[in-house]
């Protein structure tokens, strides 16, 4: 079966000189939960952002659901983006809006810009948004303003917004980098469980190797814009970790510190 996402020889140079990605090839099948790890500056964000062309690839190809993303024109690209949910480190919520309205924003990608501006969300959209918020334990925050939430709660709203879009792929760029271990666990549990339940494929950038090992079905290690490890968590031995990080710091906090905490 054709992979959901097929990246071939992807290269990205910033300012025509700095190479952030140096020929990355990666096939991702439906249902995988892939953690992308690597030191700061390795190219993890650039990789994720290239997939829906928030960053323009310099060369190489990206096929998503059979569409060549790097060549896609406006309409095709809009369709690609509608099927890819994004989760950001700093949440990117609209803080003057309610939690519910933020989640409903996830539906916007499926409306044409004209319809999106003038139509109201359907009752079914609202019910679905509320169902998602309940599932991540935010049933008491639905009508609060987004800026009244804690970091972990904001990220759970970010997850619900991505899920409300009903994407086939979620790209999560360091979703727990700003969170403490307890909130990190709640957020990762919610992301993994919902993706699994809804058959959504996920690529998640992580700084914490132990979190990657705990949640991912596959780990991709990136160093200086190249893939240097690609395999199941059970194969990511200490030697590989040392090679990927080469003396650079990587965080190791969550497994030990969150043991025994339940969401
Ligand atoms: N918009 C940009 N303009 C110029 N250079 C950039 C830009 N974005 C990223 N870079 C550079 O590209 C390289 C890869 O950056 P990227 O953000 O993809 O790495 P990362 O692995 O996600 O790092 P971190 O873990 O610190 O977020 C870095 O050297 C970075 O400085």
């Amino acid at each position: 079966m054709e992979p959901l996402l097929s990246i071939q020889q992807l290269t990205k140079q910033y300012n025509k000189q700095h190479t952030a990605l140096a020929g990355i090839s990666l096939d991702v099948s439906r249902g995988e939960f892939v953690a992308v790890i690597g030191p700061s500056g390795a190219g993890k964000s650039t990789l994720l952002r290239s997939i829906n062309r928030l960053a323009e690839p310099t060369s190489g190809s990206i096929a998503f659901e059979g569409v060549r993303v790097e060549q896609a024109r406006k309409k095709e690209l809009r369709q690609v983006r509608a099927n890819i949910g994004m989760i950001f480190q700093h949440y990117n919520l609209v803080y003057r809006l309610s939690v519910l309205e933020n989640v409903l924003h996830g539906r916007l990608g499926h409306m044409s810009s004209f319809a999106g501006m003038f139509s109201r969300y359907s009752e079914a959209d609202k019910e679905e948004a509320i169902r998602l918020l309940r599932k991540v334990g935010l049933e008491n925050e639905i009508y609060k303003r987004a800026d009244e939430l804690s970091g972990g709660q904001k990220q759970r709203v970010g997850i619900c917004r991505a899920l409300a879009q009903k994407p086939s792929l979620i790209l999560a760029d360091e979703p727990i980098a700003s969170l403490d271990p307890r909130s990190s666990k709640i957020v990762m549990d919610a992301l993994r469980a919902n993706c699994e339940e809804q058959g959504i494929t996920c690529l998640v950038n992580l700084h914490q190797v132990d979190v990657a090992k705990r949640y991912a079905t596959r780990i991709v290690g990136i160093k200086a814009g190249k893939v240097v490890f690609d395999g199941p968590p059970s194969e990511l031995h200490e030697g590989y970790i040392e090679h990927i990080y080469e003396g650079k710091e990587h965080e190791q906090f969550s497994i030990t510190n969150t043991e025994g905490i339940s969401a």
Side-chain angles (χ1 to χ4, degrees), residues 88-247:
F88 304 90
Q89 177 183 347
H90 298 296
Y91 325 119
N92 286 25
L93 303 180
V94 184
Y95 289 110
R96 65 190 159 74
L97 296 183
S98 72
V99 165
L100 178 62
E101 285 166 320
N102 269 279
V103 176
L104 285 166
H105 259 211
R107 299 298 304 152
L108 278 181
H110 288 281
M111 300 173 185
S112 73
S113 53
F114 182 80
M117 268 195 286
F118 296 105
S119 70
R120 288 171 62 90
Y121 300 104
S122 70
E123 272 309 304
D125 286 334
K126 262 192 203 172
E127 277 168 26
E128 174 62 6
I130 292 172
R131 187 187 74 81
L132 290 168
L133 287 163
R134 283 209 182 98
K135 279 194 69 188
V136 300
L138 291 178
E139 56 276 8
N140 296 324
E141 337 294 334
I142 290 171
Y143 299 105
K144 275 191 184 165
R145 269 175 62 125
D147 55 6
E148 291 172 30
L149 304 182
S150 71
Q153 289 174 326
K154 283 176 186 154
Q155 196 57 294
R156 278 183 273 163
V157 176
I159 291 173
C160 290
R161 180 182 55 191
L163 292 169
Q165 205 180 316
K166 297 205 179 304
S168 41
L169 175 68
I170 284 183
L171 303 174
D173 196 1
E174 297 185 23
I176 57 169
S178 309
L179 303 178
D180 63 26
R182 187 176 194 282
S183 299
S184 296
K185 182 181 184 303
I186 295 171
V187 161
M188 287 305 296
D189 283 348
L191 182 60
R192 173 74 205 260
N194 279 286
C195 284
E196 203 167 304
E197 206 178 286
Q198 297 182 36
I200 298 171
T201 308
C202 185
L203 251 72
V204 53
N205 283 350
L206 290 168
H207 270 290
Q208 302 83 357
V209 174
D210 55 349
V211 177
K213 281 185 144 186
R214 180 170 175 153
Y215 288 94
T217 58
R218 172 180 171 192
I219 296 179
V220 172
I222 293 192
K223 182 177 167 180
K226 291 190 175 138
V227 174
V228 293
F229 176 86
D230 186 354
S234 59
E235 285 176 16
L236 184 69
H237 302 307
E238 208 42 53
Y240 285 123
I241 298 173
E242 273 167 28
H243 174 62
I244 295 168
Y245 289 91
E246 232 175 4

Side-chain angles (χ1 to χ4, degrees), residues 12-15 18-21 37-49 89 173-174 205-207 222 225:
K12 170 67 183 174
Q13 287 182 326
Y14 288 108
N15 309 322
H18 180 74
T19 303
L21 299 178
I37 61 166
S40 192
K44 303 181 296 297
S45 292
T46 303
L47 173 63
L48 254 59
R49 293 166 63 82
Q89 177 183 347
D173 196 1
E174 297 185 23
N205 283 350
L206 290 168
H207 270 290
I222 293 192

